[in-house]
Every structure is written in C-alpha cells, then in structure tokens.
Amino acid sequence: MRTLFYIPFFLASFSLIAQNELDTIAIVKQAKFSLSVDSISKYQQLSVKAHKKGDFETFREYCEAILEISNKHKLDDLRNQALVNLGIYYSNVEQLDKAIEKYLEVLENLSKLPQNKRAELTVLVNLGNLYNKINEYDKTIETMNQVIALASTIDQPDIYLMSAYNALGNATSIKKEYCQSVEYSLRAKDLAVKLNRKSSIISILLNLSDNFLALEEYDQVVFYCKEVLAAITEEDSKKQQANALILIGDALVRNDEPLEAFSYLIKARDLSIAGNFFKIRRDSHKLLAKVYEVKGDFKKSLEEQKHYTEANEEYLNTLSRAQKKQLELESEEKTELLTEQTEELEFLAKEKQLYLFLGSLLVILLISSFLIYKKRRKKLISESLRLKGDKELLTNEKEALQVKLKRIAKNTKKEKDSNTVSYQNSSLNLEDRKLYMQQILDYMDDKKPYLNHEIKQSDIASDLSMSVHLFSEVLNVCFHRNFNSFINLYRVSEAKSLMKNPKYKQYKILSIGYEAGFSSKTSFNRVFKNLVGSTPSEYQKQHLILD
C-alpha cells in the first residue's frame, strides 16, 4: 500500500470555523451565488462543510464562486486559495490532469507576488504527490527535491520534509530502487515520530515493509508490521491493520513458513471482506491457496483459488486509469521475465534430455542377456503402441471421445478374423459387446464418474448393474484397455479442456488436475505426459502463448 501525504494548507484555516460555527449549516447546491466580498467568509465555511461531507460537487461550486469574487475584486491571495481547493477537488474526482493545471497556475501566480514560502511548499507537495499518482515519477522526484531545498530556508519545515521524503520513497520504490526508497522512508519515519503523527508513522512503516518484502528481507517485514499492529487501536484504520497482516503472511510464505502465516492470512482475509479492501482480499485468497496446498487440504486450496479469481476481477474494476496503466506496465515486465525464464528452462530441458539419452544408452550396452533384452523390448513396443493409440484419441479435440472409442470397437470387429486368439476366451457375442459398450459410453458422458478421484471399478460396475468381471471384460474386449487407462483417457481430455477455458487461466496445475479427477500432482503429470507428449505445465504455457 503506497500512502501519499497531501497538505490541505488553505482548507485548514477554514476548517476551524466550520467546526465551531457551522455544524447545522445546510448546503444548497442550486443556490444563486452573490459576488460581493461579504459573501466570501460564508462560502469558505460552506465549502469546508461540503468537503468534510464528501460532497465534492457542492465543494467545487463554492470554490468557483470564491474564485469569481477574487477575480472580480483582484484578491490575489484568495484567488490562489480557491485554485488550490479546485486542485483538491479535481484530485478527489480523479481528474488529475486538471488538478495539476490548477497547481501550476497557482505556482505561476505566486512567482509574481511577494514570496510566500509556505504557500509555495504546500502547492509543490500536493503537485509532487499528483505526479506520483499519474506515474510521472521523475517529475515527483524533481518536485520533492525542490520542496526539500525550499523547506530548509523556513522555520518548522518538518511537515513539508516528511511529506517530501515519503513521496520520494514511493516514487523510488515503484522504480524498483528499493534501497534508496528505504532510506527516504526511514527519514520520513523519523520526522513523523518527531511530529508525533501516529497515522503517518503507521503509513510509513507499511511502505517500508513493502520495500523490505521486495528486497527479500522478510524478518524486517515481520518486525515493522508487528510494530504497526501494536500501534493500531480499535479506532484506527482497519485497512492498515489488514495490510499489516497480509504483509506478514506474505513474508512468512515466501520465507517457507506457510503454517506460521496461516492465522495472519485468515485475519487479513476476514478484515478485507468486511471492509471491501479488494486488493488485500485478492492477495489473501491467493496466499491461503498456497498454505492449504502445503497442509494437504486441496479442496480448500481450490476454493481459495476460485475466490481469488472473483476478488481479482472486483479489484481491477476499482482501479483508476493511472493505476490500470501502471498494472499493465508491471504485467508486461512480468511477461518478459517469464519468457526469459521459459527459454532458459527449455535449454536446460534439452540438456537434461541429452544426459538422459546418454545414460540410457550406457544402460542398454550393459545388458548382457539377450533374452531379457528381447522381453523388455517386446513389452516396451506393446506399451508404446497402446500409448500411441491413446495419444491419437486425444489429438483431434473437436471430435468427441465417445465417437473415437466407438471407432476402436468397430475396428476390433473387422480384425476379429485375423486375430481370433484375442477373443477366443470371451463370453460376449457381437450384440452383447455392442449393447454393453454403448451403455458404458453413455454413462461416462452423462455421469462423468472420472471426475471423482476416489472412483473404483466396482463403483461403476454397480451403477451399470454389471459384475466387475463383466465390466472389465467389456473394456478389454471392446476398447483394448484396462480400467485405469480407460478412466485416464477421460481425465486427460477433461484437463485439456479446462486449460483452454479462460475461466481457469489463473488456476494452478494442481487444481486443474484435481478438477479433472486426478488424486495427486504426481499421477496427473505422469499420465498427462504419457498421453499428450508434454507435461501439463508445458501444455498450459503453449496455449497461454497462443491466446
């Protein structure tokens, strides 16, 4: 969480009047404004009241009325105050370019008047923070360095210096200059402590924790966030509390301490759901999915991944245009990094295959018994032919698996005369095979028993009112497959469909396998590689690149 410190210098003097005298003033949006100087005080008070209520449109109307009066009567100081307040309005409604225009206009006006350093500092601080919001980080750094230089020439400069160092910390952090960011943030923290500004201290500590997380200094993250949790009371921001909890959880997970992270992540998730903190909620679901996976609770891990997908969509809908642009830039950087890593992994995989090939060759040369070699070769050929047939079944995904299996059965009938030995012990005649085959295929399509990773041959046989022996005989005679190879055909076909479904883009390989009916990642990888020719991860990456 990146917190920016704005200084509403011109509003502050008005706020005291509003609190003391205007608790019962009603705001009338369609009021006809008087342009007399006598109306200024009233409009100032009403504008503050509107701002405190969050009624920014009414706030703007009063500020524009004050600006018109100041222009008419040539009241320069009042004119600059009104322009600053309009800059605050445009910042609140995310019209950041207009806000910057107002602040730059004030700076130009101030340059023509006797020097008012505090007014200039206030405008520069707010302007620098706006540059941060629109991702103009170099301008932020330039502006905040002006603040530091100018603040050194006045008495009591700490509030300006604290805001400047905090903004510099944010800008350098986003530019990935984390060590420099830590240095700025520590200076801002010391000034916040000196000024006894609790809320600022908490925000700066959270900014520091973000930097230490990027620097992989996880103990520092936990240390500073625990300071935040100790300082926060019931009256303080729940969002800051949730942010501290999620940072601790993230640091512990990255530090291979997922079980210790569990309680922090649960608290962060619950607070973020209650407070609609979409980013924290999204991150907590993602991290909890990892923790549940470590704990072996794959069902809950899958649930958290689904919640992560939903929360991520909600979070993206809340972003401003500037934030979305920043997210796109970060996504592009991650894509480039992923491409580099993929190329490196492909190179290592080829090298590994070479070593495996040489090793296999040495093993073959050491085989001394021709009979054993011949027996193994025969077995490998048989298995290869079966796997080749399975691969062909899964190649054309536009054709239903049932249609392909029927074709196998049809070919089996044609081959009967030339291969009668294979069927001489079968009790099934042609009509029986056709009936049972269709019954099994319809059952597989309608009930999808393969999605249950605990399904047994006896369960399906019972549902079909067959004996286990008869069910097994139909599979072998009609489809040339045993129960496991038959079920795995459907599971791999389901997994391929899920990986091509955009809804499952964010799912991990383990979750895809679990959804398709596999009971473990090991069995999923082994069966998928045998039937498809590539691992699930490779297959998913290929289709992500195509998408």
Side-chain angles (χ1 to χ4, degrees):
M1 180 181 71
R2 299 291 169 193
T3 304
L4 304 174
F5 299 149
Y6 291 90
I7 304 179
F9 177 79
F10 296 108
L11 280 174
S13 61
F14 309 150
S15 298
L16 295 174
I17 300 173
Q19 292 168 359
N20 294 335
E21 301 176 12
L22 295 176
D23 290 335
T24 60
I25 288 181
I27 299 174
V28 183
K29 292 187 177 181
Q30 282 77 29
K32 185 175 181 180
F33 296 107
S34 168
L35 299 182
S36 69
V37 175
D38 295 337
S39 301
I40 292 174
S41 178
K42 177 182 177 182
Y43 293 161
Q44 288 175 337
Q45 295 166 358
L46 292 173
S47 70
V48 171
K49 191 72 173 180
H51 188 273
K52 286 173 68 66
K53 284 188 174 183
D55 186 354
F56 298 124
E57 291 305 316
T58 301
F59 171 70
R60 175 187 58 79
E61 290 174 3
Y62 285 120
C63 291
E64 288 178 345
I66 295 170
L67 180 61
E68 192 171 349
I69 295 171
S70 64
N71 286 334
K72 180 179 179 181
H73 298 283
K74 298 182 180 181
L75 303 173
D76 293 330
D77 289 339
L78 187 67
R79 180 172 184 269
N80 289 330
Q81 290 179 21
L83 287 170
V84 168
N85 288 344
L86 285 171
I88 292 172
Y89 160 76
Y90 285 121
S91 179
N92 283 327
V93 298
E94 294 296 332
Q95 296 185 38
L96 305 183
D97 290 340
K98 287 187 177 181
I100 290 174
E101 287 178 10
K102 297 301 177 186
Y103 288 134
L104 291 175
E105 186 177 348
V106 174
L107 287 177
E108 184 178 355
N109 293 340
L110 289 173
S111 67
K112 301 173 184 177
L113 299 172
Q115 190 171 28
N116 184 341
K117 292 182 179 180
R118 292 187 184 277
E120 187 176 349
L121 283 167
T122 298
V123 177
L124 286 172
V125 167
N126 291 348
L127 183 61
N129 283 325
L130 281 175
Y131 285 141
N132 249 342
K133 289 187 72 173
I134 63 172
N135 307 327
E136 295 282 357
Y137 305 117
D138 290 334
K139 287 186 178 180
T140 296
I141 293 170
E142 179 185 353
T143 303
M144 290 309 180
N145 281 328
Q146 288 179 329
V147 171
I148 293 170
L150 184 59
S152 65
T153 65
I154 66 170
D155 296 329
Q156 299 178 339
D158 293 342
I159 182 65
Y160 303 106
L161 292 174
M162 180 192 72
S163 300
Y165 284 128
N166 181 70
L168 286 169
N170 290 333
T172 51
S173 178
I174 295 173
K175 293 181 70 174
K176 303 189 186 316
E177 299 170 6
Y178 299 116
C179 293
Q180 181 67 68
S181 179
V182 166
E183 183 179 338
Y184 285 133
S185 296
L186 287 173
R187 292 183 186 179
K189 171 180 169 287
D190 292 341
L191 289 164
V193 171
K194 181 179 177 182
L195 292 167
N196 195 27
R197 297 213 168 195
K198 177 184 172 182
S199 61
S200 299
I201 294 171
I202 291 172
S203 298
I204 294 167
L205 289 177
L206 292 173
N207 291 349
L208 268 172
S209 299
D210 274 330
N211 286 318
F212 283 124
L213 190 67
L215 291 167
E216 300 182 1
E217 297 186 26
Y218 304 125
D219 291 340
Q220 292 281 55
V221 177
V222 174
F223 172 77
Y224 281 115
C225 285
K226 284 186 175 180
E227 276 196 12
V228 170
L229 294 176
I232 287 178
T233 62
E234 286 297 322
E235 293 76 24
D236 291 323
S237 168
K238 295 295 182 184
K239 186 172 186 179
Q240 290 179 323
Q241 183 181 358
N243 199 49
L245 290 166
I246 194 69
L247 283 168
I248 292 176
D250 196 355
L252 291 172
V253 169
R254 297 191 193 195
N255 203 34
D256 296 327
E257 301 175 74
L259 299 182
E260 289 77 3
F262 182 71
S263 61
Y264 294 103
L265 295 174
I266 290 292
K267 291 177 184 177
R269 182 196 64 186
D270 293 345
L271 280 173
S272 63
I273 292 173
N276 287 326
F277 311 139
F278 296 111
K279 183 178 185 299
I280 298 174
R281 178 186 164 196
R282 179 198 69 173
D283 294 345
S284 64
H285 287 311
K286 182 177 182 179
L287 291 168
L288 278 169
K290 294 181 180 179
V291 174
Y292 278 124
E293 182 181 333
V294 172
K295 297 177 74 165
D297 195 336
F298 301 119
K299 183 177 180 180
K300 286 190 176 179
S301 177
L302 181 59
E303 289 175 358
E304 291 295 337
Q305 286 196 51
K306 290 180 178 178
H307 291 319
Y308 163 78
T309 302
E310 295 168 0
N312 189 50
E313 291 178 0
E314 293 177 350
Y315 168 64
L316 292 176
N317 289 334
T318 66
L319 295 180
S320 66
R321 285 177 296 177
Q323 289 171 319
K324 287 180 180 178
K325 182 179 178 182
Q326 176 62 27
L327 202 62
E328 289 172 1
L329 292 174
E330 291 177 358
S331 178
E332 289 175 4
E333 291 176 1
K334 289 180 180 178
T335 301
E336 291 176 2
L337 179 61
L338 182 61
T339 302
E340 293 175 2
Q341 291 174 340
T342 302
E343 291 174 353
E344 184 177 352
L345 287 172
E346 289 175 351
F347 173 77
L348 292 174
K350 290 178 181 178
E351 188 175 11
K352 183 179 179 181
Q353 288 174 356
L354 177 62
Y355 290 139
L356 288 173
F357 173 77
L358 293 174
S360 300
L361 183 61
L362 288 174
V363 171
I364 292 172
L365 292 175
L366 292 174
I367 296 176
S368 58
S369 173
F370 176 75
L371 293 176
I372 295 175
Y373 167 78
K374 187 175 181 179
K375 184 177 179 180
R376 286 185 177 180
R377 181 175 176 81
K378 184 178 180 180
K379 183 178 180 181
L380 287 172
I381 291 173
S382 176
E383 180 69 14
S384 176
L385 289 172
R386 186 184 67 79
L387 289 175
K388 182 179 179 181
D390 289 347
K391 288 179 182 179
E392 290 174 353
L393 280 174
L394 294 169
T395 299
N396 183 5
E397 296 173 8
K398 293 182 179 179
E399 188 176 19
L401 187 56
Q402 181 176 139
V403 175
K404 299 174 185 176
L405 289 170
K406 282 183 177 179
R407 190 184 302 119
I408 289 178
K410 186 176 181 180
N411 292 337
T412 298
K413 287 192 298 179
K414 291 180 179 180
E415 295 167 3
K416 182 177 179 181
D417 293 337
S418 61
N419 195 22
T420 55
V421 177
S422 301
Y423 307 106
Q424 63 184 4
N425 296 323
S426 174
S427 62
L428 300 174
N429 59 38
L430 184 61
E431 291 301 318
D432 287 337
R433 290 202 298 268
K434 185 176 180 181
L435 176 65
Y436 289 133
M437 176 192 73
Q438 188 62 50
Q439 188 178 354
I440 291 171
L441 291 176
D442 289 342
Y443 176 80
M444 295 298 289
D445 283 349
D446 294 338
K447 303 298 184 182
K448 301 185 185 303
Y450 51 87
L451 297 180
N452 179 2
H453 63 83
E454 296 180 348
I455 195 72
K456 298 189 291 293
Q457 184 171 243
S458 58
D459 296 331
I460 297 180
S462 176
D463 286 348
L464 293 169
S465 300
M466 296 181 186
S467 68
V468 174
H469 174 76
L470 175 59
F471 178 65
S472 178
E473 185 177 6
V474 174
L475 294 183
N476 280 276
V477 171
C478 295
F479 306 113
H480 286 248
R481 279 160 183 77
N482 60 26
F483 174 73
N484 285 334
S485 63
F486 183 74
I487 283 289
N488 284 336
L489 276 175
Y490 281 88
R491 286 173 175 166
V492 171
S493 180
E494 179 71 11
K496 291 173 70 177
S497 297
L498 292 177
M499 280 188 269
K500 289 185 175 182
N501 190 332
K503 292 182 179 180
Y504 290 81
K505 184 177 180 181
Q506 299 293 338
Y507 276 44
K508 297 176 69 175
I509 290 301
L510 176 62
S511 300
I512 295 288
Y514 191 85
E515 286 278 276
F518 289 96
S519 60
S520 70
K521 185 176 181 180
T522 303
S523 64
F524 180 36
N525 281 333
R526 175 176 52 78
V527 173
F528 194 96
K529 177 70 180 290
N530 285 339
L531 295 185
V532 179
S534 60
T535 66
S537 298
E538 290 168 349
Y539 185 87
Q540 188 181 53
K541 286 177 183 176
Q542 290 169 4
H543 286 279
L544 286 175
I545 292 171
L546 289 174
D547 289 340

